[in-house]
């Protein structure tokens, strides 16, 4: 089971002077249970791509299927297939609207026609994953919360619909460091415990390196590279062409290596980076 | 007297209502001409509220803010203050209004009634300072986020602003855009002696400043140079903040017995210390 794009091309404002082809013949498979990150500079086609995954945009040519069903049609099957894909846009907190946290998170599952027990179970569960204490916060207004908390409540609203596939567009932009770390931890737990397939759009190579099992670099409407992070973040030419950079850990380790420390540079975690530097220093002393 | 003097500043939103909230409590800061001050703090700590006081978008509910000798509560000085202190916000799409880049940059001086040949010169100079001269006739919507932010900065420069207040100007940008904006700001600070107040969640960006102010629950809790702030790794993390990667790695190596200086904040400093 997977989301598949086959030869997808998308042209904005076709037939006008402003015509622009944002996606060019994209073929891509997003496998069930994977966490795929999509990176690329502004205008590379990332957002246009993810808007195809639940039918917000339909290809000018080519096909998008979710679990084998073409999502372009108006049939019940196509509608059901589109609903398998949950979408969290940039700044989702701007879409909060209810009087209380509980009502806001319950809005989606309620509209799915679920029983009130099931809705409550899902609301509690979703808030738990984004680290918002249900009993403490359920009756509070989301508009009285901090930016980071509002972001997490908004994401919980999509998690509560328990979509099979979840698209997150820049989920950590503008969050403070603790808010960012907590949100990433919550997303990763949801990914593991619910086997939720996640598609993450991000400008943070550090976040991508820590979270993704696969990285797609977009450039000029095409897929420039599609590889695991351990490979993608060492493809220097592709990184440069895509206007991206290496994770901070790799940048630091590379500099140490260039200055003569015999260190393994393939590390994305801080504690692991420290271990590698430590062992390189010890090796140096022993010889 | 300092360029900006913040005296016992407090700001309460929705005073007297059920949702009353004290965003700033008794903040005092002096910022001198030509300083580059980074402002750090968790979401909700009062950073943006503070920034909005610097050009009278918000007025104090207690205390005062004095810019170049002018009290922001004095309406007579409003336009002088706004001319001296320019603001750049997080979302580049919310602050560009014209359909052509050079018209957007000219908008401020036009409203001041500056003569047209002088406007021409200011627009050209401002675009050159942020490296955007080649894009003068472009439509802003065709630019990248980093380019749009530099246009917003040029718009402030065309007002002959002395001070730029940037509120998370790189939060929405890709890696190249982030570097473009930070470099433009550094050059303006170094070459044009523009005073910079730079709010950010990126610790590596804050390390480029000459002074770091940390806010917590509406108060200033740390005010020091970057080399004094970032080596305090545990303290910063306890506040929900972070430190540059080099500071954290150096701190952890030192805990394991590696002899390193206790004031490392950049990759280059760490590399120099390890690969002597």
């Amino acid at each position: 089971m997977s989301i598949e794009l086959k030869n997808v091309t998308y042209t904005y404002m076709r037939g006008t002077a402003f015509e622009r082809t944002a996606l060019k013949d994209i073929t891509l498979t997003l496998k069930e249970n994977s966490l795929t990150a999509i990176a690329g500079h502004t205008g590379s086609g990332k957002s246009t791509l993810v808007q195809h995954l639940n039918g917000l945009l339909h290809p000018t040519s080519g096909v998008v299927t979710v679990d084998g069903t073409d999502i372009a049609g108006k049939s019940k099957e196509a509608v059901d297939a589109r609903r398998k894909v949950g979408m969290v846009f940039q700044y989702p907190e701007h879409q909060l609207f209810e009087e209380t946290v509980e009502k806001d998170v319950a809005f989606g599952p309620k509209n799915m026609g679920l029983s009130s027990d099931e809705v409550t179970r899902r609301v509690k569960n979703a808030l738990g994953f984004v680290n918002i204490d249900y009993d403490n916060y359920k009756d509070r207004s989301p508009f009285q919360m901090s930016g980071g908390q509002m972001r997490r409540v908004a994401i919980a609203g999509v998690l509560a619909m328990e979509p099979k596939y979840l698209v997150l567009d820049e989920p950590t932009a503008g969050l403070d460091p603790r808010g960012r770390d907590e949100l990433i931890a919550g997303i990763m737990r949801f990914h593991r415990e619910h086997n939720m397939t996640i598609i993450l759009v991000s400008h943070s190579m550090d976040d991508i390196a820590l979270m993704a099992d696969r990285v797609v670099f977009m450039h000029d409407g095409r897929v420039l590279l599609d590889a695991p992070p351990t490979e993608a973040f060492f493809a220097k030419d592709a990184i440069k062409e895509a206007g991206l950079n290496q994770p901070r850990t790799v940048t630091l380790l590379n500099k140490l290596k260039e200055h003569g420390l015999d260190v393994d540079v393939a590390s994305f975690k801080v504690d692991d980076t420290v271990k590698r530097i430590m062992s390189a220093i010890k090796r140096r002393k022993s010889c | 007297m300092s360029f900006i003097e913040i005296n016992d500043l407090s700001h309460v939103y929705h005073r007297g209502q059920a949702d009353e909230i004290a965003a700033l409590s008794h903040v005092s800061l002096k910022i001198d001409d030509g300083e580059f001050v980074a402002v750090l703090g968790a979401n909700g700590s009062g950073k943006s509220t503070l920034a909005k006081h610097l050009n009278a978008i918000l007025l104090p509910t207690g205390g005062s803010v004095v810019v170049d000798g002018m009290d922001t509560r004095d309406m007579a000085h409003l336009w002088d203050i706004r001319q001296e202190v320019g603001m750049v916000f997080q979302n580049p799409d919310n602050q560009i209004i014209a359909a052509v880049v050079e018209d957007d940059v000219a908008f401020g001086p036009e409203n001041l009634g500056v003569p047209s040949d002088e406007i021409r010169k200011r627009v050209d100079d401002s675009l050159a300072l942020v490296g955007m001269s080649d894009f003068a006739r472009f439509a802003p919507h065709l630019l990248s986020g980093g380019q749009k932010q530099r246009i917003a900065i040029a718009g402030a420069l065309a007002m002959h602003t002395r001070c730029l207040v940037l509120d998370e100007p790189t939060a929405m940008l890709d890696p190249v855009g982030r570097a473009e904006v930070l470099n433009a700001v550094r050059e303006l600070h170094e070459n044009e002696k523009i005073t910079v107040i730079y709010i950010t969640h990126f610790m590596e960006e804050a390390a480029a400043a000459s002074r770091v102010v940390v806010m917590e629950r509406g108060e200033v809790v740390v005010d020091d140079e970057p080399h004094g702030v970032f080596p305090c790794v545990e303290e910063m993390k306890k506040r929900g903040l972070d430190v540059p990667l080099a500071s954290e790695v150096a701190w952890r190596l030192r805990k394991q017995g590696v002899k390193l200086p206790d004031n490392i904040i950049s990759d280059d400093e760490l590399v120099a210390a390890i690969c002597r």
Side-chain angles (χ1 to χ4, degrees):
Chain A
M1 290 294 163
S2 58
I3 301 181
E4 291 198 34
L5 293 89
K6 286 187 200 131
N7 306 108
V8 170
T9 292
Y10 186 79
T11 305
Y12 283 103
M13 307 183 80
R14 196 151 57 137
T16 73
F18 303 103
E19 180 170 309
R20 198 170 72 84
T21 300
L23 296 180
K24 298 169 184 168
D25 195 27
I26 299 231
T27 296
L28 190 65
T29 303
L30 301 163
K31 281 198 208 78
E32 198 172 339
N33 300 339
S34 64
L35 200 162
T36 305
I38 301 178
H41 60 79
T42 319
S44 59
K46 300 185 304 288
S47 295
T48 308
L49 177 72
V50 296
Q51 289 181 68
H52 278 79
L53 303 181
N54 72 344
L56 289 171
L57 293 175
H58 293 304
T60 308
S61 67
V63 182
V64 180
T65 60
V66 174
D67 295 344
T69 306
D70 183 345
I71 62 168
K74 286 185 178 159
S75 65
K76 186 176 179 304
E77 289 74 28
V79 173
D80 287 346
R82 289 201 287 269
R83 283 198 179 144
K84 288 182 187 172
V85 185
M87 185 85 76
V88 178
F89 292 101
Q90 286 180 8
Y91 295 87
E93 60 272 26
H94 295 168
Q95 297 171 43
L96 294 168
F97 69 103
E98 275 284 12
E99 291 166 351
T100 70
V101 166
E102 179 166 39
K103 281 186 188 170
D104 208 290
V105 178
F107 182 79
K110 245 186 192 164
N111 277 335
M112 294 166 76
L114 300 170
S115 71
S116 66
D117 286 354
E118 175 64 8
V119 170
T120 307
R121 183 194 71 77
R122 287 186 174 205
V123 171
K124 280 186 182 169
N125 198 23
L127 285 171
F129 272 102
V130 295
N131 221 355
I132 301 273
D133 184 60
Y134 173 81
D135 294 315
N136 217 334
Y137 283 95
K138 69 182 170 69
D139 296 322
R140 293 212 210 168
S141 163
F143 300 100
Q144 295 292 308
M145 301 170 93
S146 74
Q149 289 173 324
M150 285 168 75
R151 175 83 51 93
R152 284 183 275 149
V153 170
I155 291 174
V158 178
L159 291 180
M161 289 159 71
E162 297 186 359
K164 186 169 168 190
Y165 301 94
L166 178 68
V167 181
L168 295 159
D169 194 352
E170 294 281 358
T172 61
L175 292 188
D176 59 42
R178 181 179 290 159
R180 181 195 64 210
D181 292 347
E182 286 178 358
L183 181 57
I184 289 174
I187 293 168
M188 292 309 284
R189 258 191 305 144
F190 214 82
H191 171 58
R192 279 194 299 268
E193 292 177 23
H194 283 250
N195 292 320
M196 187 184 273
T197 309
I198 292 180
I199 296 106
L200 169 76
V201 177
S202 178
H203 285 319
S204 167
M205 302 307 123
D206 301 315
D207 290 358
I208 290 177
L210 289 176
M211 296 170 79
D213 45 48
R214 192 170 148 217
V215 186
V216 173
F217 289 163
M218 298 276 302
H219 180 59
D220 192 26
R222 297 178 202 277
V223 172
L224 186 67
L225 187 91
D226 178 356
T230 44
E231 208 176 297
F233 287 125
F234 298 95
K236 283 192 177 152
D237 294 342
I239 289 171
K240 197 167 176 215
E241 191 177 353
L244 302 171
N245 54 11
Q246 291 184 308
R248 293 183 307 167
T249 49
V250 178
T251 307
L252 174 61
L253 289 166
N254 266 328
K255 282 185 192 163
L256 286 166
K257 192 167 187 167
E258 279 164 25
H259 286 80
L261 189 71
D262 179 24
V263 68
D264 178 1
V265 299
S267 170
F268 301 142
K269 289 189 178 139
V270 176
D271 49 2
D272 185 43
T273 300
V274 171
K275 254 185 228 156
R276 282 170 204 231
I277 297 173
M278 201 64 206
S279 66
I281 290 175
K282 279 182 186 154
R283 268 202 309 278
R284 181 175 66 180
K285 277 178 183 156
S286 64
C287 61
Chain B
M1 188 163 189
S2 298
F3 176 49
I4 294 176
E5 298 212 340
I6 298 165
N7 309 307
D8 200 31
L9 171 65
S10 294
H11 193 91
V12 179
Y13 288 109
H14 310 292
R15 181 133 71 176
Q17 295 171 31
D19 54 351
E20 173 175 308
I21 175 164
L24 291 176
S25 309
H26 307 288
V27 171
S28 291
L29 279 176
K30 286 183 180 12
I31 295 168
D32 284 320
D33 210 7
E35 276 199 273
F36 184 164
V37 184
V39 182
L40 304 177
N43 293 115
S45 61
K47 304 182 301 295
S48 296
T49 303
L50 177 67
K52 287 176 183 159
H53 280 83
L54 301 181
N55 71 346
I57 294 174
L58 289 176
L59 296 176
T61 57
S64 69
V65 177
V66 180
V67 176
D68 197 14
M70 299 176 282
D71 192 315
T72 60
R73 290 169 300 184
D74 185 348
M75 282 299 285
H77 295 314
L78 183 64
W79 298 110
D80 293 328
I81 289 170
R82 296 236 168 119
Q83 195 179 328
E84 291 204 13
V85 181
M87 294 273 292
V88 176
F89 297 99
Q90 187 179 115
N91 189 341
D93 293 319
N94 292 350
Q95 41 195 339
I96 292 179
I97 41 146
V100 180
V101 164
E102 61 181 11
D103 291 354
D104 194 83
V105 178
F107 181 80
E110 271 174 354
N111 281 339
L112 294 178
V114 174
S116 63
D117 46 347
E118 165 72 10
I119 292 179
R120 179 75 258 166
K121 188 177 175 313
R122 287 193 187 190
V123 169
D124 291 345
D125 291 350
S126 304
L127 285 172
L129 285 172
V130 296
M132 290 294 291
S133 301
D134 293 345
F135 296 88
R137 303 284 167 99
F138 268 57
H141 72 270
L142 295 176
L143 303 178
S144 73
Q147 291 170 330
K148 286 181 200 167
Q149 288 298 59
R150 287 186 286 153
I151 297 302
I153 293 171
L157 296 176
M159 301 281 281
H160 281 177
T161 198
R162 289 173 61 191
C163 172
L164 281 173
V165 180
L166 304 109
D167 192 352
E168 291 193 53
T170 61
M172 296 185 74
L173 306 184
D174 59 41
V176 171
R178 275 177 57 189
E180 285 171 2
V181 170
L182 186 63
N183 286 339
V185 170
R186 290 171 84 155
E187 281 175 15
L188 289 170
H189 172 249
E190 280 161 25
N191 303 335
E192 307 302 316
K193 310 297 172 211
I194 301 264
T195 306
V196 175
I197 293 152
Y198 194 99
I199 298 176
T200 186
H201 286 314
F202 295 113
M203 304 301 142
E204 271 82 4
E205 293 183 356
S210 51
R211 176 177 169 194
V212 175
V213 168
V214 179
M215 301 207 46
E216 191 171 80
R217 292 193 199 89
E219 293 173 31
V220 171
V221 289
V222 177
D223 182 356
D224 199 350
E225 57 152 340
H227 285 96
V229 175
F230 290 124
C232 306
V233 177
E234 280 171 305
E235 192 189 324
M236 289 296 278
K237 296 221 170 200
K238 214 163 63 198
R239 297 187 192 284
L241 300 174
D242 208 343
V243 296
L245 178 66
S247 298
E248 177 159 9
V249 169
W251 174 69
R252 290 196 192 199
L253 287 171
R254 276 165 22 117
K255 276 210 304 190
Q256 295 183 41
V258 180
K259 285 199 176 62
L260 291 171
D262 61 0
N263 61 350
I264 285 172
I265 63 167
S266 72
D267 283 3
D268 291 342
E269 289 167 1
L270 182 59
V271 169
I274 291 178
C275 308
R276 275 155 299 182

